[in-house]
């Protein structure tokens, strides 16, 4: 059989690879699922290719990266698709319609990677600014038409590329942050759940702010009126500022990053809440231990750590860390108070995370004659849609407990 002539190369699944999964929406093809030779291994990272099954039937237009375990990412199931500004714009239009249905102000996650048809691409919107995280090689290569499409569809004037983070390292990409259009003049105020957060779009973590916790912040606000709140791993104010907006009598933010705590203080000042807001810099585990030794207790304690289990190889170590957080935090909750425990580790599924938290709480307060009621399980907001064929897109879990006698 003579192979057809196309302007882009062809890659092919091995005979026993699951072509049906690709047809049914699976977005990734791993390197061990493909027939690889010198030709395929020499493809430029970020280049496009035709993906065929073992019988040479077309499956999808894909972006390839021989430097990544995820060798191919599905972009389109049309054999005639052209990945240009118009192609990007069509996907952004679809994503924007959903966000404009959800929110009355342009502050949200606009593109949630594979779930919005742009694999490896995250875009958060901050009013007139979009921050793009191109966490896959193809998005680096095509950043210009992507940025142009963002401006065309949303009308924003400023587009920032934040090319930092662990995901880019897995793709073999360098870290770089640059303003692609417009300008950024210092931290940007972001309204969310009645609070004001200050987002550093150039030097902050990820895109500068975490929108995914919005519904969990809102739930916490129902628990905090007139109460004293402790927010561990608070980043730029997280649950603490949301709690103050919800009527908390005071909130203490703990984080290891001085710049993040400075931004939290700016947010509290913008809300007129500086007198009821305080910060404490240090390692979270050390501070939790010190607060217990100081005899401190709080009505509400919420812990929102970084991903302790970012992959399967770190799962057991990560679960022990989540258990330790719960063990140290639970005794700081007054009887009848509330404990919130969060995980953004996709490798730690809900059952494993909940098990670790339950064990930690038991070890933390069982000897005090207390127990816990699990009252609420939260996830990321609807601007972070979950792709049914990709469990990794549903990474965030938030468990809220009531500590009782």
């Amino acid at each position: 059989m003579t192979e057809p002539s196309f302007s882009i190369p062809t890659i092919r699944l091995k005979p026993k690879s699951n072509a049906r999964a690709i047809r049914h929406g699976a977005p990734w093809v791993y390197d061990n699922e493909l027939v690889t030779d010198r030709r395929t291994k020499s493809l430029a990272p970020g280049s496009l290719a035709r993906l065929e099954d073992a019988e040479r039937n077309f499956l999808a237009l894909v972006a390839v990266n021989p430097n990544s375990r995820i060798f191919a990412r599905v972009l389109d199931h049309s054999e005639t698709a052209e990945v240009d500004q118009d192609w990007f714009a069509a996907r952004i239009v679809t994503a924007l319609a959903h966000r404009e249905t959800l929110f009355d102000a342009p502050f949200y996650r606009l593109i949630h990677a594979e779930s919005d048809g742009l694999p490896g691409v995250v875009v958060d919107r901050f009013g007139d600014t979009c921050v793009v995280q191109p966490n896959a090689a193809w998005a680096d290569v095509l950043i210009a038409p992507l940025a142009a499409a963002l401006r065309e569809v949303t009308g924003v004037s400023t587009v920032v590329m934040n090319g930092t983070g662990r995901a880019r390292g897995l793709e073999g990409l360098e870290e770089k942050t640059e303003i692609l259009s417009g300008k950024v003049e210092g931290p940007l105020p972001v309204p969310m759940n009645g609070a004001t957060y200050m987002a550093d779009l150039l030097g902050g973590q990820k895109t500068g702010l975490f929108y995914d916790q919005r519904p969990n912040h809102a739930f916490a606000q129902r628990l905090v009126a007139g109460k004293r709140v402790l927010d561990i791993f608070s980043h730029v104010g997280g649950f603490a500022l949301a709690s103050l907006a919800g009527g908390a009598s005071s909130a203490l933010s703990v984080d290891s990053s001085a710049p993040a705590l400075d931004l939290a203080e700016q947010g509290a000042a913008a809300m007129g809440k500086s007198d009821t807001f305080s910060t404490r810099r240090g390692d979270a585990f050390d501070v939790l231990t010190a607060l217990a030794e100081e005899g401190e207790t709080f009505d509400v304690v919420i812990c929102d750590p970084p991903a302790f289990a970012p992959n399967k190889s770190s799962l057991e170590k990560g679960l022990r860390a989540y258990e330790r957080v719960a063990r140290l935090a639970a005794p700081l909750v007054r009887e009848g108070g509330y404990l919130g425990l969060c995980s953004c580790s996709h490798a730690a599924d809900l059952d494993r995370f909940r098990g670790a938290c339950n064990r930690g709480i038991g070890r933390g307060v069982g000897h005090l004659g207390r127990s816990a009621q699990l009252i609420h399980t939260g996830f990321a907001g609807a601007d972070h849609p979950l792709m049914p064929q990709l469990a990794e897109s549903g990474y965030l879990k938030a468990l809220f407990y009531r500590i009782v006698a």
Side-chain angles (χ1 to χ4, degrees):
M1 179 177 180
T2 303
E3 183 163 322
S5 175
F6 292 91
S7 59
I8 59 174
T10 296
I11 60 175
R12 188 169 297 117
L13 292 177
K14 291 179 179 177
K16 293 185 179 181
S17 295
N18 191 356
R20 180 180 298 179
I22 299 296
R23 293 191 179 96
H24 290 178
W28 295 348
V29 182
Y30 290 98
D31 52 4
N32 61 358
E33 298 178 288
L34 292 166
V35 176
T36 54
D37 53 22
R38 278 191 296 177
R39 179 187 63 86
T40 54
K41 291 179 180 179
S42 66
L43 292 172
S47 60
L48 305 185
R50 300 173 69 257
L51 175 66
E52 293 181 346
D53 63 18
E55 288 72 41
R56 302 196 176 192
N57 300 305
F58 174 81
L59 290 174
L61 177 68
V62 297
V64 301
N65 185 353
N67 299 328
S68 172
R69 270 222 65 214
I70 304 173
F71 194 107
R73 297 173 187 263
V74 175
L75 300 184
D76 206 297
H77 287 279
S78 169
E79 196 165 4
T80 60
E82 294 186 24
V83 183
D84 54 15
Q85 182 175 332
D86 290 341
W87 184 90
F88 280 110
R91 278 155 177 73
I92 296 168
V93 164
T94 299
L96 180 62
H98 172 55
R99 277 66 179 186
E100 290 184 335
T101 299
L102 296 172
F103 304 108
D104 57 8
F107 296 90
Y108 40 68
R109 172 146 297 180
L110 174 58
I111 298 294
H112 192 50
E114 282 78 359
S115 299
D116 283 303
L118 296 177
V121 178
V122 166
V123 180
D124 283 345
R125 184 173 183 181
F126 301 90
D128 189 43
T129 300
C130 281
V131 179
V132 184
Q133 277 193 296
N135 293 327
W138 77 278
D140 248 24
V141 172
L142 296 174
I143 191 66
L146 169 56
L150 281 169
R151 294 192 299 270
E152 172 194 344
V153 174
T154 66
V156 301
S157 61
T158 300
V159 177
V160 174
M161 172 183 167
N162 186 326
T164 62
R166 174 180 173 276
R168 286 180 63 83
L170 296 175
E171 285 277 298
L173 303 173
E174 65 175 342
E175 292 203 354
K176 58 180 178 180
T177 297
E178 59 181 307
I179 299 173
L180 302 177
S181 65
K183 58 185 178 180
V184 176
E185 298 178 344
L188 186 72
V190 178
M192 187 162 57
N193 289 321
T196 299
Y197 297 91
M198 303 302 295
D200 180 357
L201 305 187
L202 297 179
Q205 292 184 39
K206 302 292 179 118
T207 62
L209 191 69
F210 298 106
Y211 282 127
D212 52 3
Q213 288 282 20
R214 188 192 318 245
N216 300 315
H217 289 167
F219 179 80
Q221 287 178 323
R222 299 167 62 184
L223 309 175
V224 301
K227 296 176 181 176
R228 191 174 185 224
V229 176
L230 171 64
D231 180 12
I232 301 288
F233 306 100
S234 72
H235 189 224
V236 298
F239 283 93
L241 297 184
S243 295
L244 292 175
S249 61
S250 69
L252 170 61
S253 275
V254 175
D255 202 273
S256 61
S257 168
L261 291 177
D262 180 61
L263 290 170
E265 289 175 343
Q266 292 179 43
M271 296 166 59
K273 297 288 186 179
S274 293
D275 57 336
T276 54
F277 180 70
S278 58
T279 64
R280 184 161 173 168
R281 183 187 176 195
D283 174 83
F285 295 104
D286 292 342
V287 174
L288 285 168
T289 301
L291 288 170
E293 292 172 349
E294 294 161 15
E296 292 279 9
T297 58
F298 300 82
D299 301 295
V300 179
V301 176
I302 301 177
C303 304
D304 183 18
F308 288 146
N311 50 49
K312 290 182 180 179
S313 64
S314 62
L315 177 58
E316 293 306 317
K317 181 179 179 181
L319 291 174
R320 289 194 296 272
Y322 288 123
E323 181 178 335
R324 185 183 177 202
V325 168
R327 175 173 60 82
L328 295 175
L332 298 177
V333 181
R334 294 171 182 164
E335 186 176 319
Y338 297 95
L339 173 63
L341 300 169
C342 307
S343 167
C344 58
S345 299
H346 67 77
D349 64 21
L350 178 59
D351 286 343
R352 287 187 175 91
F353 174 59
R354 185 170 51 219
C357 292
N358 292 346
R359 289 191 298 273
I361 293 171
R363 293 179 62 195
V365 298
H367 67 286
L368 301 175
R370 297 181 186 176
S371 60
Q373 303 166 327
L374 179 59
I375 63 167
H376 179 74
T377 301
F379 302 96
D383 54 342
H384 293 65
L386 189 153
M387 185 180 195
Q389 301 89 347
L390 188 65
E392 288 85 347
S393 60
Y395 60 93
L396 184 66
K397 290 81 64 178
L399 305 176
F400 288 85
Y401 296 84
R402 186 168 184 244
I403 305 299
V404 295

